[in-house]
């Protein structure tokens, strides 16, 4: 697609999609403690996040393959439709189990919205432009994320947490309509090549679901050594083994294993696994600390995430301008060091901690995210030809989402175990999350609950420091060389279905 009005409008549509994803992620994080407090079910708190992450994670490679085979635009529309359906249903949920189910539907759509936008950026911009545009998109993410916690808190306090989900609808519709009008694609007839790896998707989804249930229930009511827990872990391992077997034999694998022969892709995948675990854990548990331990409102809970969401676009802006000069490796190392520094600050949180201490920690971690996420994404897109850019981009995002999904489930189980250990098995911590119920508690009962929650969250923050160390370790494994040195040569012509009509600016210089 040549530079001009159409490309600008397509870029605008993708920015709207990015805005949609950012608003959803941060506004929901600020509202979930109140929703769980109203609906009940503190033991299933992390499932509100994990269900969304599970479905959005396991569909990422499938969406990438669909985008390569059938075109970016039509697959984007399907993803947006599913996302908006899940949003509308989540807003109408009458129980926590319904909310978890509808969040899973929302995740089915989210698995395609953001990655297809990133794939299109790789299609319509050159390498130099990509670095700058990713910085710009990070800025859009930052602005939306900055508004998200504040809007989420304000709407939750003034109206209801349900309206957080309804906010997604106008942005999703606008993004899809603009993309339909201004993105022109050609669709060659290659039906004999369209072999979808449905079995691979089912096996991966089943394996990760079994793993999450084993982690959550094993650390909860069953116990990690219980026969049911061990059976679930074994079944999850067997499912992953079957998934690898299926990917080796499939004609069009959902997750092509040969991608990982490229060291840049392998390290980017490992780095995103740790990065996603740190990012989603921070998003899930910092608002809980604010509301349950410090006793703040939903607005105050969302505000603690704002510094992270400011730091991320700032570092992405500079990373986009430094990338071609310093390379991927130095930027990811800088991001890893900042992640460890932020993790150390989180570990200092205790009974006397004030909000400014948390603000500094989340800002530093936000800076680390930009210096890691941008190089990992561009390294993968630059390492493959056009025909594999969709599946390669979605693969690396799969690892980020998988890390978040598993980490939130595991740390949620750790939190519940610690709360029951400190506060006692009969204590219901839901009351600490709901301002109305919290006001009815006696001083002694409130102290018991908040002490248990504080102990549990301190354990969670120490685990997050370990995740930050893994981020730094992955950065040291990244191959040396500047971006052009790590690019595939030559790049194949974009002749698959869904190729943009004019691709002259998408060729790598």
């Amino acid at each position: 697609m040549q530079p001009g009005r159409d490309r600008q409008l397509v870029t605008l549509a993708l920015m709207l999609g990015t805005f949609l994803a950012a608003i959803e992620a941060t506004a929901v994080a600020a509202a979930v403690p109140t929703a769980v407090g109203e609906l009940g079910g503190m033991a299933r708190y992390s499932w509100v996040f994990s269900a969304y992450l599970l479905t959005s994670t396991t569909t990422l490679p499938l969406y990438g393959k669909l985008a390569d085979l059938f075109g970016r635009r039509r697959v984007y529309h399907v993803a947006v439709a599913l996302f908006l359906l899940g949003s509308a249903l989540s807003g109408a949920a009458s129980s926590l189990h319904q909310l978890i189910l509808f969040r899973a539907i929302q995740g089915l759509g989210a698995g395609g919205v953001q990655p297809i936008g990133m794939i299109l950026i790789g299609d319509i911009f050159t390498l130099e432009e990509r670095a700058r545009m990713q910085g710009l998109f990070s800025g859009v993410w930052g602005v939306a994320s900055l508004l998200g916690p504040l809007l989420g808190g304000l709407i939750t306090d003034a109206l209801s947490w349900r309206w957080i989900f309804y906010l997604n609808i106008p942005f999703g519709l606008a993004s899809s309509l603009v993309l339909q009008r201004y993105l022109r694609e050609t669709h060659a007839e290659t039906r004999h090549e369209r072999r979808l790896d449905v079995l691979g998707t089912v096996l991966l989804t089943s394996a990760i679901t079994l793993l999450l249930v084993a982690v959550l229930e094993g650390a909860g009511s069953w116990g990690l050594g219980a026969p049911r827990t061990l059976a679930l872990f074994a079944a999850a391992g067997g499912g992953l083994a079957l998934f690898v077997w299926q990917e080796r034999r499939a004609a069009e694998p959902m997750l092509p294993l040969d991608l990982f022969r490229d060291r840049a892709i392998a390290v980017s995948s490992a780095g995103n696994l740790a990065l996603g675990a740190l990012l989603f854990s921070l998003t899930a548990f910092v608002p809980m600390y604010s509301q349950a331990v410090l006793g703040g409102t939903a607005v105050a809970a969302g505000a603690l995430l704002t510094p992270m969401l400011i730091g991320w676009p700032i570092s992405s802006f500079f990373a986009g301008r430094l990338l071609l000069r310093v390379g991927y490796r130095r930027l990811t190392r800088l991001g890893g060091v900042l992640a460890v520094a932020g993790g150390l600050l989180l570990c200092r949180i205790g009974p006397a901690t004030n909000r400014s201490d948390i603000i500094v920690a989340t800002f530093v971690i936000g800076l680390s995210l930009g210096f890691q996420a941008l190089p990992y994404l561009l390294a993968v897109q630059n390492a493959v030809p056009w025909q594999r850019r969709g599946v390669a981009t979605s693969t690396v995002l799969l690892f980020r989402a998988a890390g978040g999904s598993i980490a939130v489930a595991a740390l949620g189980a750790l939190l519940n175990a610690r709360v029951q250990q400190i506060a006692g098995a009969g204590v219901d911590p839901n009351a600490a999350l709901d301002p109305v119920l919290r006001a009815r508690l006696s001083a002694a009962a409130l102290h018991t609950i908040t002490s248990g929650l504080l102990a549990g969250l301190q354990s969670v923050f120490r685990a997050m420091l370990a995740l930050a160390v893994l981020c730094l370790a992955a950065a040291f494994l990244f191959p040396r060389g500047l971006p052009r040195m790590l690019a595939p040569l030559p790049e194949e012509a974009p002749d698959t279905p869904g190729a943009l009509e004019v691709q002259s600016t998408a060729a790598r210089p």
Side-chain angles (χ1 to χ4, degrees), residues 314-337:
I314 290 174
S315 56
S316 291
F317 175 85
F318 287 106
R321 280 148 181 78
L322 293 172
L323 182 67
L324 294 179
R325 283 185 283 172
V326 304
Y328 306 116
R329 187 172 183 170
R330 290 182 182 177
L331 291 178
T332 55
R333 285 184 176 184
L334 174 59
V337 169

Side-chain angles (χ1 to χ4, degrees), residues 53-62 201 204-206 208 254 398:
L53 290 171
L54 171 67
T55 53
S56 62
T57 295
T58 55
T59 54
L60 275 167
L62 181 62
T201 303
L204 181 61
T205 302
S206 301
I208 294 181
M254 181 189 79
L398 163 69

Side-chain angles (χ1 to χ4, degrees), residues 36 45 56 61 78-79 187 218 236 251 257 339 398 416 460 469 509:
V36 173
Y45 174 89
S56 62
V78 172
H187 301 284
L257 300 181
L398 163 69
N416 286 324
V460 167
V469 172

Side-chain angles (χ1 to χ4, degrees), residues 54 141 179 271 356 428 443 464-465 479:
L54 171 67
W141 182 283
L179 201 70
S356 62
D428 179 14
M464 289 168 62
L465 173 60

Side-chain angles (χ1 to χ4, degrees), residues 239-308:
L240 289 174
L242 286 173
F243 171 73
V244 172
W245 170 78
Q246 167 63 13
E247 299 311 279
R248 289 183 178 276
R249 62 182 289 274
E252 292 286 346
M254 181 189 79
L255 183 63
L257 300 181
D258 64 297
L259 287 174
F260 302 105
R261 297 173 186 168
D262 187 301
R263 185 175 173 184
I265 295 178
V267 173
S268 294
S269 299
N272 267 281
L273 187 72
L275 186 68
L278 180 61
L279 167 63
F280 288 108
S281 297
L282 193 74
T283 303
F285 295 107
V286 166
M288 177 184 281
Y289 176 85
S290 175
Q291 283 192 252
V293 178
L294 299 183
T297 63
V299 173
L304 289 184
L305 292 178
T306 300
M308 178 188 74

Side-chain angles (χ1 to χ4, degrees), residues 7-23:
R7 192 171 80 158
Q8 291 172 353
L9 289 171
V10 168
T11 303
L12 176 62
L14 299 178
M15 286 182 176
L16 284 174
T18 300
F19 190 84
L20 167 71
I23 283 285

Side-chain angles (χ1 to χ4, degrees), residues 333-352:
R333 285 184 176 184
L334 174 59
V337 169
L338 289 170
V340 172
L344 288 170
L345 291 173
L346 280 178
C347 287
R348 296 177 56 193
I349 290 176

Side-chain angles (χ1 to χ4, degrees), residues 95-400:
S95 69
L96 189 65
H97 289 94
Q98 285 186 6
L99 180 59
I100 291 170
L101 173 62
F102 297 150
R103 284 279 284 167
I105 296 173
Q106 193 182 30
L108 287 175
V113 173
Q114 185 183 6
I116 293 177
M118 292 182 176
I119 293 165
L120 278 168
I121 294 172
D123 288 347
I124 66 179
F125 292 100
T126 66
L127 176 59
E128 286 86 349
E129 289 173 329
R130 257 178 256 159
R132 293 194 299 270
M133 289 305 299
Q134 289 292 352
L136 175 62
F137 272 71
S138 294
V140 173
W141 182 283
V143 171
S145 300
L146 180 63
L147 295 175
L150 299 177
L151 283 175
L154 286 170
I155 292 172
T156 298
D157 291 340
L159 298 173
S160 168
W161 56 267
R162 300 178 185 277
W163 284 94
I164 302 303
F165 296 102
Y166 299 144
L167 278 176
N168 297 320
I169 296 174
F171 293 110
L173 291 175
S175 176
S176 195
L177 289 173
V178 173
L179 201 70
Q180 174 65 26
R181 174 66 179 83
Y182 295 103
L183 178 64
R184 297 186 300 274
E185 295 185 292
T186 58
H187 301 284
E189 289 297 325
T190 56
R191 293 183 182 179
H192 62 284
E193 297 178 0
R194 297 179 177 181
R195 302 175 184 176
L196 295 181
D197 184 17
V198 177
L199 179 58
T201 303
V202 171
L203 288 172
L204 181 61
T205 302
S206 301
I208 294 181
T209 301
L210 290 168
L211 179 61
L212 291 178
V213 173
V215 170
L216 286 169
E217 300 299 341
S221 57
W222 295 355
L224 287 174
R228 285 184 293 181
T229 304
L230 296 177
L232 282 174
F233 277 122
L240 289 174
L242 286 173
F243 171 73
V244 172
W245 170 78
Q246 167 63 13
E247 299 311 279
R248 289 183 178 276
R249 62 182 289 274
E252 292 286 346
M254 181 189 79
L255 183 63
L257 300 181
D258 64 297
L259 287 174
F260 302 105
R261 297 173 186 168
D262 187 301
R263 185 175 173 184
I265 295 178
V267 173
S268 294
S269 299
N272 267 281
L273 187 72
L275 186 68
L278 180 61
L279 167 63
F280 288 108
S281 297
L282 193 74
T283 303
F285 295 107
V286 166
M288 177 184 281
Y289 176 85
S290 175
Q291 283 192 252
V293 178
L294 299 183
T297 63
V299 173
L304 289 184
L305 292 178
T306 300
M308 178 188 74
L309 305 167
I310 294 174
W312 190 338
I314 290 174
S315 56
S316 291
F317 175 85
F318 287 106
R321 280 148 181 78
L322 293 172
L323 182 67
L324 294 179
R325 283 185 283 172
V326 304
Y328 306 116
R329 187 172 183 170
R330 290 182 182 177
L331 291 178
T332 55
R333 285 184 176 184
L334 174 59
V337 169
L338 289 170
V340 172
L344 288 170
L345 291 173
L346 280 178
C347 287
R348 296 177 56 193
I349 290 176
T353 299
N354 56 46
R355 293 183 183 275
S356 62
D357 296 327
I358 305 173
I359 286 171
V360 173
T362 56
F363 178 72
V364 172
I365 292 177
L367 288 175
S368 79
L369 296 175
F371 284 122
Q372 295 177 84
L374 181 64
Y376 284 143
L377 174 63
L378 293 182
V380 170
Q381 290 187 334
N382 198 39
V384 295
W386 188 94
Q387 288 90 340
R388 308 194 83 186
R389 187 174 293 145
V391 70
T393 301
S394 59
T395 294
V396 77
L397 293 176
L398 163 69
F399 279 88
R400 184 190 302 181

